[in-house]
Amino acid sequence: MIIVMKPNAGKKEIDNIVDKLHKAGLEAHLSTGKELTIIGVIGDKRLVADANLELMPGVDRLVPITESYKLVNRKFNVKETVVKVGDVEIGGDRFVLIAGPCAVESEEQIFQTAEKLSKAGVKILRGGAFKPRTSPYSFQGLGVEGLKYLRAAADTYGMLVISEVTGIPALQDAEPYVDIIQIGARNMQNFDLLKEVGRTQKPIFLKRGMSATIDEWLNAAEYIIREHNNQVILCERGIRTFETATRNTLDISAIPVLRAKTHLPVFIDPSHACGVKDYVIPLARAAAAVDCDGLTVEVHPNPDRALSDGAQSLTPEDFVELVRQIKPILDVMGRKL
Amino acid sequence: MIIVMKPNAGKKEIDNIVDKLHKAGLEAHLSTGKELTIIGVIGDKRLVADANLELMPGVDRLVPITESYKLVNRKFNVKETVVKVGDVEIGGDRFVLIAGPCAVESEEQIFQTAEKLSKAGVKILRGGAFKPRTSPYSFQGLGVEGLKYLRAAADTYGMLVISEVTGIPALQDAEPYVDIIQIGARNMQNFDLLKEVGRTQKPIFLKRGMSATIDEWLNAAEYIIREHNNQVILCERGIRTFETATRNTLDISAIPVLRAKTHLPVFIDPSHACGVKDYVIPLARAAAAVDCDGLTVEVHPNPDRALSDGAQSLTPEDFVELVRQIKPILDVMGRKL
Amino acid sequence: MIIVMKPNAGKKEIDNIVDKLHKAGLEAHLSTGKELTIIGVIGDKRLVADANLELMPGVDRLVPITESYKLVNRKFNVKETVVKVGDVEIGGDRFVLIAGPCAVESEEQIFQTAEKLSKAGVKILRGGAFKPRTSPYSFQGLGVEGLKYLRAAADTYGMLVISEVTGIPALQDAEPYVDIIQIGARNMQNFDLLKEVGRTQKPIFLKRGMSATIDEWLNAAEYIIREHNNQVILCERGIRTFETATRNTLDISAIPVLRAKTHLPVFIDPSHACGVKDYVIPLARAAAAVDCDGLTVEVHPNPDRALSDGAQSLTPEDFVELVRQIKPILDVMGRKL
Amino acid sequence: MIIVMKPNAGKKEIDNIVDKLHKAGLEAHLSTGKELTIIGVIGDKRLVADANLELMPGVDRLVPITESYKLVNRKFNVKETVVKVGDVEIGGDRFVLIAGPCAVESEEQIFQTAEKLSKAGVKILRGGAFKPRTSPYSFQGLGVEGLKYLRAAADTYGMLVISEVTGIPALQDAEPYVDIIQIGARNMQNFDLLKEVGRTQKPIFLKRGMSATIDEWLNAAEYIIREHNNQVILCERGIRTFETATRNTLDISAIPVLRAKTHLPVFIDPSHACGVKDYVIPLARAAAAVDCDGLTVEVHPNPDRALSDGAQSLTPEDFVELVRQIKPILDVMGRKL
């Protein structure tokens, strides 16, 4: 951390700060220029995290030099995390496909979807049971009943299950039925929930918040891992910008940024990122080429009868076409489906 | 709602949609232009909310005409909501001040703050007990212990209490101690929590999400009111933009927009909006002049020792100066403190 | 400037940089921590502006400590700039009103507007002759003919003239007719134009770019002043964000931020900021209370027949009401109209 | 276009509007619902473009149904535009590489770059002579001298030349030396310049403005084509968002959106989009897979001595690696280099 002093800061004010740093067990290095003095702080800045140095007399501002997250930080953990769930490895040299409807709507719907997706090579079945919806008048999900259908469909076709939890009660309801727990964009900074899923033994699929910076997202992952669950998968799903031609703006650059900053596996959700069915396949190709670890895609047997997000859902036939188009790109990238 | 057909949509596709609308009990009005046909849908669009009309053959897109929220909508409820809590009225002709530290840190700190603020005319004491913090290594709040100090300090000085709840367990813990329940920006779309606070009998102070549109915010309020708690106060606290000179960007235009759209009272939080102590008073003046119903301001007896948000906290003396500066503007606006 | 080295940077790489700094006439102060070394650079960083230090082996990144602008910087020029034009002083203790139609449309329209506005106390008449419009099919302005009408109307009613120039040819056309030259949001980084207006003797009214940071805006002003024209007025007119309820988002916090960073006068344009007539007066009140130096407001005698921006234009009667509402707030702020 | 009336609009107000539409030669179709009436307008809405219908009594708002651009609109021009320049075809089944330094700095630098890039298969050499820089103290380009070096280097190695013009004088200077004229992000809505380049006979490379919507970008292209130059190439180069880990946010979804809306060819500039050398190659792979028509990439023989944008420049050797990585993806996509 660097402390930048105000141009008019005097010797007394500078000594004062150096003193405070020394008392906290830190070293201070002064650089005095023509305009102002800066103080380099050497040591673990958490020792003065609550000291409000920026408010001490003569201080202009603090400049952080190192990141606040440690456990998810590649600098301190160079080995890539590989999440194992059933016989699927996420974060290794495979490209993993998660697919299914936005919401579980009926036993028939989810069985029909699972059958077709398992034939298309999908190993992980998705489906929402607890749906966070902008309007209270929209379909809110089937709850536990939906999870039972989802589990049964997955078991029938030899698949694993992922589903979103929207709070601690939903987590308790969902845990027996799911193999991977999804935290949605709206709950990325629901810290109570992050801590709680950090205490489970199941992999966590952490979607990026709609307006979360990459640093905030990594701090959210740090919350989970700090509770001793290091099975975290990140999922970029589009950020909110001024552009309205798509539902959100897929931040594809987040993938190379995350590769540089963290050892965790990274997925892309092209369906929520764009919100328009016709754009999903081109974005899936881009995702394969940018070298993320997998995709989560919305697939519905009858998008025109879907109770949520129909506009962005592929049919099972579209999904087969998606796989056909990304397969040769994955070959180029040295990844197997 | 308007259904815009594709330029190449044929008679059969149009008839198909008209049919579907009729079956749902809606009327359809066709306007056929040179380039394309549009269909005006007459009736309650919730009847086809889950019909995915946008996916029917020949449909280009849907254009919503009316808002999805009803109970918070001024169109259907012209009378201003006045929230009564103790002997304080929010949303009438008063300008209500909420003040206190970001977090309750100790019995001494909150009593000291309460004493000075009550003298400065503040009737509602704020203080966080459950703190949502970006990093897990930051101070997380004192929990119930903090709420007890907050309640005791408020009672001693004849004040009311507001505090944030970050989840359903926190709500259960907090309910006995608080007069107003605050939902923070990060939980604005925590729908489980919204429903749950909608079932309490206490006023809800609903802060705008960092990247929530005004429409999403009003839908969040609709979730609460739909559970029969119509004592909702909205609070603008800055939105996330590209500008980094301030922590967030105060969307002051949201006040006249909300006046046009809803009957609920509206507050401004200048402290979180800008994140810099020196900018709080000018923004408080602007808030008074734009004619919102009150302010929530962070005040700490020793900002340089605050465990969170010290940089944006006023001292009690600064707060007295804030009141001194806004008072004559409130006089102009015909509002009493 | 601070140079942050990579955790694995070796002695040779550090020496290398220190050497480069010394050769450029700068001093280097090292702070070596457990994780990494940082180098404080003492001296005028422009000496290494083109040295690409961030690409030297072992360098992680550069952290700027001082601003790149000097002439507009309050740190080096503490005295407030007062722009004098005719008998009007901008940036002193007056609150200056600029008003008029978005575009000059006819002789009659601008004379009619000028008459009413001059009676309402407006000293500076605005009106666009060169209109930057999103679509080529929208009205593009009357050009020099419009400027002649504008000048004649202003002269008739004893007013000054401000008008936007969209390029160097427009500047040459406009210069004889205007007292203040406006640079619009879309040209805030048209650096050729900035340099050219910097060579004129007239005050420049520099609107903020739709997505310009405050730092970029101040750098744009620096371009003008560096050409020896220090008569620059800044105008906040709303920034582009995700919110669509208003045309742009008025960044009212920019006023106190600019007060801290620069000595230049600052205006607000509430009309373009919100784009909706009904929101202009509340925002004008907020502008008066936040203590900017004046307003520019769109006024049209018949907004429903305006050729551009009718939706956000006040009638002259509305404008009289605006003045009536801000006057007592300006009294409170110690500003005279 | 749809006119949405206010809930309380009466018969007289509605008749009034219908009348106005009829007089303009348009048809009006009414849909009267329980809450409100909407009026579908049939005919060319440009007939009432300047009528300010939104201000007529009883009108709530207008909802545009068709786009304001025609010439660039795929709906009216289904055939893909192929831009021919020398023996290079842009927009056909080739994938075209443009590469070179951000700025031409010296004869030696550009010849060295051209030699290496031509060997790597690049047919179009880029290099800035007129540089738009945020700070007036940064290197501003060599001007015509730079263009001469650029032309000579390109001719020596059998390449074509592209360079940015920042205004009409720069355009006049540049035209004799360049094969393709680039309009940079900051000038995307410099309408005078757009019209002027529309009157040249050379292909125009139109970069997206930093905060321009796709619709505004297409309207900017419409300005050019309306002046009878239909050789326009669009280039996505990242948009401004809240995320700071990258310089801008590459809006990769813009490619499929543009494919649906326009017949013009589309490029990606991964260098400006991310601003970090290490992220350029992954983004180039994504660009190849999303199926754009080409890339423009910054390449400098010695990025650590570049006078601008060194941090995002590849070395010629990096560029060879970029080509090696995208080549097999282009094979998959059926595109030839």
Side-chain angles (χ1 to χ4, degrees):
Chain A
M1 185 171 55
I2 301 292
I3 303 172
V4 182
M5 302 301 292
K6 289 184 178 153
N8 59 358
K11 186 176 177 309
K12 202 180 140 188
E13 288 160 332
I14 293 168
D15 288 352
N16 213 7
I17 288 173
V18 171
D19 234 52
K20 186 153 191 168
L21 293 172
H22 285 170
K23 280 179 188 154
L26 298 166
E27 278 179 67
H29 283 210
L30 267 63
S31 306
T32 304
K34 218 176 100 187
E35 286 176 25
L36 49 79
T37 292
I38 61 171
I39 304 174
V41 181
I42 314 294
D44 185 343
K45 72 177 169 183
R46 283 176 287 178
L47 293 171
V48 285
D50 296 331
N52 286 321
L53 295 167
E54 70 271 40
L55 295 176
M56 290 185 67
V59 173
D60 187 59
R61 67 185 190 284
L62 306 187
V63 180
I65 299 297
T66 50
E67 295 88 358
S68 55
Y69 47 84
K70 303 287 168 192
L71 303 168
V72 305
N73 197 326
R74 175 179 290 279
K75 277 185 197 152
F76 308 113
N77 307 273
V78 291
K79 196 161 159 286
E80 304 285 339
T81 291
V82 176
V83 173
K84 282 173 201 157
V85 47
D87 60 348
V88 177
E89 284 193 358
I90 293 172
D93 59 355
R94 294 268 164 178
F95 191 82
V96 176
L97 294 173
I98 299 174
C102 179
V104 181
E105 296 166 9
S106 70
E107 193 171 7
E108 190 197 350
Q109 171 236 27
I110 194 69
F111 268 79
Q112 213 178 323
T113 311
E115 184 185 4
K116 292 189 176 170
L117 291 178
S118 68
K119 277 187 197 154
V122 174
K123 299 243 173 71
I124 306 177
L125 183 66
R126 55 158 289 157
F130 305 97
K131 298 301 306 168
R133 302 300 295 275
T134 300
S135 163
Y137 306 110
S138 301
F139 175 60
Q140 308 272 320
L142 296 181
V144 173
E145 190 192 351
L147 290 168
K148 286 182 183 167
Y149 297 152
L150 188 66
R151 182 77 263 168
D155 287 347
T156 303
Y157 297 102
M159 300 168 89
L160 296 164
V161 159
I162 182 172
S163 197
E164 178 176 353
V165 298
T166 51
I168 294 174
L171 170 63
Q172 287 159 349
D173 284 347
E175 221 182 327
Y177 300 101
V178 303
D179 301 297
I180 305 177
I181 296 164
Q182 179 173 317
I183 303 290
R186 288 178 182 79
N187 283 300
M188 193 206 83
Q189 290 196 320
N190 184 336
F191 301 116
D192 290 357
L193 184 57
L194 295 179
K195 288 178 194 168
E196 200 66 28
V197 298
R199 293 178 201 122
T200 69
Q201 307 293 318
K202 304 213 160 161
I204 309 302
F205 194 77
L206 180 66
K207 297 190 97 173
R208 182 180 186 179
M210 208 152 10
S211 65
T213 62
I214 291 175
D215 263 33
E216 289 169 342
W217 190 12
L218 289 171
N219 270 295
E222 185 89 0
Y223 264 94
I224 298 170
I225 299 186
R226 202 163 163 253
E227 302 293 330
H228 305 300
N229 183 347
N230 58 11
Q231 303 279 91
V232 177
I233 304 151
L234 303 170
C235 180
E236 160 64 30
R237 45 76 75 205
I239 57 174
R240 180 157 276 186
T241 70
F242 62 83
E243 178 58 72
T244 57
T246 42
R247 184 169 167 175
N248 295 287
T249 297
L250 177 64
D251 181 8
I252 199 157
S253 317
I255 312 310
V257 172
L258 287 167
R259 292 290 183 226
K261 287 178 180 273
T262 186
H263 49 85
L264 296 174
V266 189
F267 271 52
I268 282 180
D269 174 348
S271 307
H272 281 89
C274 66
V276 179
K277 175 187 166 162
D278 289 352
Y279 306 154
V280 171
I281 294 182
L283 295 182
R285 290 196 312 259
V290 86
D291 204 22
C292 64
D293 296 294
L295 293 178
T296 177
V297 180
E298 287 195 358
V299 179
H300 192 287
N302 302 96
D304 57 347
R305 284 191 302 228
L307 295 182
S308 74
D309 282 350
Q312 69 197 33
S313 291
L314 301 186
T315 61
E317 293 68 38
D318 295 331
F319 184 77
V320 169
E321 174 61 20
L322 179 152
V323 175
R324 197 191 64 75
Q325 292 199 22
I326 65 169
K327 182 74 177 57
I329 297 173
L330 294 172
D331 289 344
V332 167
M333 299 304 300
R335 288 214 183 236
K336 290 174 202 157
L337 269 178
Chain B
M1 184 172 55
I2 301 292
I3 303 172
V4 181
M5 302 300 294
K6 289 183 177 153
N8 59 357
K11 186 175 178 309
K12 201 178 142 190
E13 288 160 334
I14 293 168
D15 288 352
N16 213 6
I17 287 171
V18 172
D19 234 52
K20 186 151 193 171
L21 294 171
H22 285 169
K23 281 181 187 150
L26 298 165
E27 277 179 68
H29 283 211
L30 267 63
S31 305
T32 304
K34 218 176 99 187
E35 285 175 26
L36 48 80
T37 291
I38 61 171
I39 303 175
V41 181
I42 313 295
D44 185 344
K45 72 174 171 188
R46 283 176 286 178
L47 294 171
V48 285
D50 296 331
N52 286 320
L53 294 168
E54 71 269 41
L55 295 176
M56 290 184 66
V59 174
D60 186 60
R61 69 187 187 283
L62 306 188
V63 180
I65 299 298
T66 50
E67 295 88 358
S68 55
Y69 47 84
K70 303 288 168 192
L71 303 169
V72 304
N73 197 325
R74 177 180 289 278
K75 277 186 200 152
F76 309 113
N77 307 271
V78 291
K79 199 164 157 287
E80 303 286 338
T81 290
V82 175
V83 173
K84 283 173 202 156
V85 47
D87 59 348
V88 177
E89 284 193 359
I90 293 172
D93 59 355
R94 295 267 165 179
F95 191 81
V96 177
L97 294 173
I98 299 173
C102 179
V104 181
E105 296 166 10
S106 69
E107 193 171 7
E108 190 198 351
Q109 171 237 26
I110 194 70
F111 268 78
Q112 213 178 325
T113 310
E115 184 185 4
K116 293 188 176 172
L117 292 178
S118 69
K119 279 186 196 155
V122 173
K123 298 243 173 71
I124 306 177
L125 182 67
R126 55 158 289 157
F130 304 97
K131 299 302 307 168
R133 302 298 298 274
T134 300
S135 163
Y137 305 110
S138 302
F139 174 60
Q140 308 272 319
L142 294 182
V144 173
E145 190 192 351
L147 290 168
K148 287 181 181 168
Y149 297 152
L150 187 65
R151 182 77 263 171
D155 287 347
T156 302
Y157 297 103
M159 300 170 87
L160 296 165
V161 159
I162 182 172
S163 197
E164 177 176 354
V165 299
T166 51
I168 294 174
L171 171 62
Q172 287 159 349
D173 284 346
E175 221 181 329
Y177 300 101
V178 302
D179 301 298
I180 305 176
I181 296 164
Q182 178 173 314
I183 302 291
R186 288 177 181 79
N187 283 300
M188 194 205 83
Q189 290 196 319
N190 184 336
F191 300 116
D192 289 357
L193 183 57
L194 296 178
K195 288 178 193 168
E196 199 67 25
V197 298
R199 292 177 202 124
T200 69
Q201 306 293 317
K202 304 215 160 162
I204 309 302
F205 194 78
L206 180 65
K207 297 190 98 173
R208 182 180 186 178
M210 209 151 10
S211 66
T213 63
I214 291 175
D215 264 31
E216 289 168 342
W217 190 11
L218 289 171
N219 270 295
E222 185 89 0
Y223 264 96
I224 298 170
I225 299 186
R226 203 165 163 251
E227 302 293 330
H228 306 299
N229 182 348
N230 57 11
Q231 303 278 90
V232 176
I233 304 150
L234 302 171
C235 180
E236 159 64 31
R237 43 76 74 206
I239 56 173
R240 180 157 277 185
T241 70
F242 62 82
E243 177 59 69
T244 56
T246 43
R247 184 167 165 177
N248 295 287
T249 297
L250 176 65
D251 181 9
I252 197 156
S253 317
I255 312 310
V257 173
L258 287 166
R259 291 292 183 225
K261 288 179 179 272
T262 186
H263 49 85
L264 296 174
V266 189
F267 272 52
I268 282 180
D269 174 349
S271 308
H272 282 88
C274 66
V276 179
K277 174 188 167 160
D278 289 352
Y279 306 154
V280 171
I281 294 182
L283 295 183
R285 289 195 313 260
V290 87
D291 204 23
C292 65
D293 296 295
L295 292 178
T296 178
V297 180
E298 288 195 357
V299 179
H300 193 286
N302 302 96
D304 56 347
R305 285 192 302 230
L307 296 181
S308 73
D309 282 350
Q312 70 197 32
S313 291
L314 301 185
T315 61
E317 293 68 38
D318 295 330
F319 185 77
V320 169
E321 175 60 20
L322 179 151
V323 175
R324 197 191 65 75
Q325 293 199 21
I326 65 170
K327 181 75 177 54
I329 297 172
L330 295 172
D331 288 344
V332 168
M333 299 303 301
R335 289 213 181 236
K336 291 175 202 157
L337 267 178
Chain C
M1 185 172 55
I2 301 290
I3 303 171
V4 181
M5 302 301 293
K6 289 184 178 154
N8 58 358
K11 186 175 178 310
K12 200 177 143 191
E13 288 159 333
I14 293 168
D15 287 353
N16 214 6
I17 287 172
V18 171
D19 234 52
K20 187 151 192 170
L21 294 171
H22 285 171
K23 280 180 188 153
L26 297 166
E27 277 179 67
H29 282 211
L30 267 64
S31 306
T32 304
K34 218 175 100 187
E35 284 175 26
L36 48 79
T37 291
I38 62 171
I39 304 174
V41 181
I42 313 294
D44 185 344
K45 72 176 171 185
R46 283 175 286 178
L47 294 170
V48 285
D50 295 331
N52 285 320
L53 294 167
E54 70 270 39
L55 295 176
M56 290 184 66
V59 174
D60 186 59
R61 68 187 189 285
L62 306 187
V63 180
I65 298 297
T66 51
E67 295 87 359
S68 55
Y69 47 85
K70 304 287 170 194
L71 303 168
V72 305
N73 198 325
R74 176 180 289 278
K75 276 186 199 152
F76 309 114
N77 308 271
V78 291
K79 200 164 156 285
E80 303 286 337
T81 290
V82 176
V83 173
K84 284 173 199 155
V85 49
D87 60 348
V88 177
E89 285 192 359
I90 292 171
D93 59 357
R94 294 267 164 181
F95 191 82
V96 177
L97 293 174
I98 300 174
C102 179
V104 181
E105 296 165 11
S106 70
E107 195 171 6
E108 191 197 351
Q109 172 237 27
I110 193 70
F111 268 78
Q112 212 178 325
T113 310
E115 184 185 5
K116 293 189 175 170
L117 291 178
S118 69
K119 278 187 197 155
V122 173
K123 300 242 173 71
I124 306 177
L125 183 66
R126 55 159 290 159
F130 305 97
K131 299 301 308 166
R133 302 299 297 275
T134 300
S135 163
Y137 305 109
S138 301
F139 174 60
Q140 308 271 318
L142 295 181
V144 173
E145 190 192 352
L147 290 168
K148 286 181 182 167
Y149 297 152
L150 188 65
R151 182 77 262 169
D155 287 347
T156 303
Y157 297 102
M159 301 170 88
L160 297 164
V161 160
I162 182 172
S163 197
E164 178 175 355
V165 300
T166 51
I168 294 173
L171 171 62
Q172 287 159 349
D173 284 347
E175 220 181 330
Y177 299 101
V178 303
D179 301 298
I180 305 176
I181 296 162
Q182 179 173 315
I183 303 290
R186 289 177 181 79
N187 282 301
M188 194 205 83
Q189 290 196 318
N190 184 336
F191 300 115
D192 289 357
L193 183 57
L194 295 179
K195 288 178 191 166
E196 200 67 26
V197 298
R199 291 176 202 123
T200 69
Q201 306 292 317
K202 304 216 159 158
I204 309 303
F205 193 77
L206 179 66
K207 297 190 99 174
R208 181 180 187 178
M210 209 151 11
S211 65
T213 62
I214 290 174
D215 264 32
E216 288 168 343
W217 190 12
L218 289 171
N219 270 295
E222 185 89 0
Y223 264 96
I224 297 170
I225 298 186
R226 202 163 162 251
E227 302 294 328
H228 306 298
N229 183 346
N230 57 10
Q231 302 279 91
V232 177
I233 304 151
L234 302 171
C235 180
E236 160 65 30
R237 44 77 72 206
I239 56 173
R240 180 156 277 186
T241 70
F242 62 82
E243 177 58 71
T244 56
T246 43
R247 185 167 166 176
N248 295 287
T249 297
L250 177 64
D251 181 9
I252 198 155
S253 316
I255 313 309
V257 172
L258 287 166
R259 291 291 183 225
K261 287 179 180 271
T262 186
H263 49 84
L264 297 174
V266 189
F267 271 52
I268 282 179
D269 175 347
S271 307
H272 281 89
C274 66
V276 180
K277 174 188 166 160
D278 289 352
Y279 306 154
V280 171
I281 295 182
L283 295 182
R285 290 196 312 260
V290 86
D291 204 23
C292 65
D293 296 295
L295 292 178
T296 178
V297 180
E298 287 194 356
V299 179
H300 192 286
N302 302 96
D304 56 347
R305 284 190 303 226
L307 295 182
S308 72
D309 282 351
Q312 70 197 33
S313 291
L314 301 186
T315 61
E317 294 67 38
D318 295 330
F319 185 78
V320 169
E321 175 61 21
L322 179 152
V323 174
R324 197 191 65 75
Q325 292 199 19
I326 65 170
K327 180 76 177 54
I329 297 172
L330 294 171
D331 289 344
V332 168
M333 299 303 301
R335 289 213 181 236
K336 291 173 202 159
L337 268 177
Chain D
M1 185 171 53
I2 301 291
I3 303 172
V4 182
M5 302 301 291
K6 288 183 178 155
N8 59 357
K11 185 175 179 309
K12 202 179 140 189
E13 288 160 332
I14 292 167
D15 288 351
N16 213 6
I17 288 172
V18 171
D19 234 52
K20 186 152 193 169
L21 294 171
H22 286 170
K23 280 181 188 154
L26 298 166
E27 277 178 69
H29 282 210
L30 268 63
S31 307
T32 304
K34 217 174 98 188
E35 287 175 24
L36 49 79
T37 291
I38 61 171
I39 303 174
V41 181
I42 313 294
D44 185 343
K45 72 176 170 184
R46 283 175 287 178
L47 294 171
V48 286
D50 296 332
N52 285 321
L53 295 167
E54 70 271 40
L55 296 176
M56 290 184 67
V59 173
D60 186 59
R61 66 186 190 284
L62 306 186
V63 181
I65 298 298
T66 50
E67 295 87 359
S68 56
Y69 47 84
K70 303 287 168 192
L71 303 168
V72 305
N73 197 325
R74 175 179 289 280
K75 276 186 199 151
F76 309 113
N77 307 272
V78 292
K79 196 162 159 286
E80 304 286 338
T81 290
V82 176
V83 173
K84 283 174 201 157
V85 48
D87 59 348
V88 177
E89 284 193 359
I90 293 172
D93 59 356
R94 294 266 164 181
F95 191 82
V96 177
L97 294 173
I98 299 174
C102 178
V104 181
E105 296 166 10
S106 70
E107 193 171 6
E108 190 197 351
Q109 172 236 27
I110 193 70
F111 268 79
Q112 213 177 324
T113 311
E115 184 185 4
K116 292 190 176 169
L117 291 178
S118 69
K119 276 188 199 154
V122 173
K123 299 242 173 72
I124 306 178
L125 183 66
R126 57 159 288 158
F130 305 97
K131 298 302 306 167
R133 303 298 297 272
T134 299
S135 163
Y137 305 109
S138 301
F139 174 62
Q140 308 272 320
L142 295 182
V144 173
E145 190 192 350
L147 290 168
K148 287 182 182 166
Y149 297 152
L150 187 65
R151 182 77 263 168
D155 287 347
T156 303
Y157 298 103
M159 300 169 89
L160 296 164
V161 159
I162 182 172
S163 197
E164 178 175 355
V165 299
T166 51
I168 293 173
L171 171 63
Q172 288 159 349
D173 285 347
E175 220 182 327
Y177 300 101
V178 302
D179 301 297
I180 305 177
I181 296 164
Q182 180 173 314
I183 302 290
R186 288 177 183 78
N187 283 301
M188 193 205 83
Q189 290 196 319
N190 184 335
F191 301 115
D192 290 356
L193 183 57
L194 295 179
K195 288 177 194 169
E196 200 67 26
V197 299
R199 293 177 202 123
T200 69
Q201 307 293 317
K202 304 214 161 160
I204 309 303
F205 193 78
L206 179 66
K207 297 190 97 173
R208 181 180 187 178
M210 207 150 12
S211 66
T213 62
I214 290 174
D215 263 32
E216 289 168 342
W217 190 12
L218 289 171
N219 269 296
E222 185 90 0
Y223 264 95
I224 298 170
I225 298 186
R226 201 162 164 253
E227 302 293 330
H228 306 299
N229 183 347
N230 58 11
Q231 302 279 90
V232 177
I233 304 151
L234 302 170
C235 179
E236 160 64 30
R237 44 75 75 206
I239 56 174
R240 180 157 276 186
T241 70
F242 63 82
E243 178 58 70
T244 57
T246 43
R247 184 168 167 176
N248 295 288
T249 297
L250 176 64
D251 181 8
I252 198 157
S253 317
I255 312 310
V257 172
L258 287 167
R259 292 291 183 224
K261 287 178 180 273
T262 187
H263 48 85
L264 296 174
V266 189
F267 271 53
I268 283 179
D269 174 348
S271 307
H272 282 88
C274 66
V276 180
K277 175 187 166 161
D278 289 351
Y279 306 155
V280 171
I281 294 182
L283 294 183
R285 291 195 313 259
V290 86
D291 204 23
C292 65
D293 296 295
L295 292 178
T296 177
V297 180
E298 288 194 358
V299 179
H300 193 287
N302 302 95
D304 56 346
R305 284 190 302 225
L307 295 182
S308 74
D309 283 351
Q312 70 196 34
S313 291
L314 301 186
T315 61
E317 293 68 37
D318 295 331
F319 184 77
V320 169
E321 174 61 20
L322 179 151
V323 175
R324 196 191 65 74
Q325 291 198 23
I326 65 170
K327 181 74 177 57
I329 298 173
L330 295 172
D331 288 344
V332 168
M333 300 303 302
R335 289 214 181 237
K336 291 175 202 159
L337 269 179

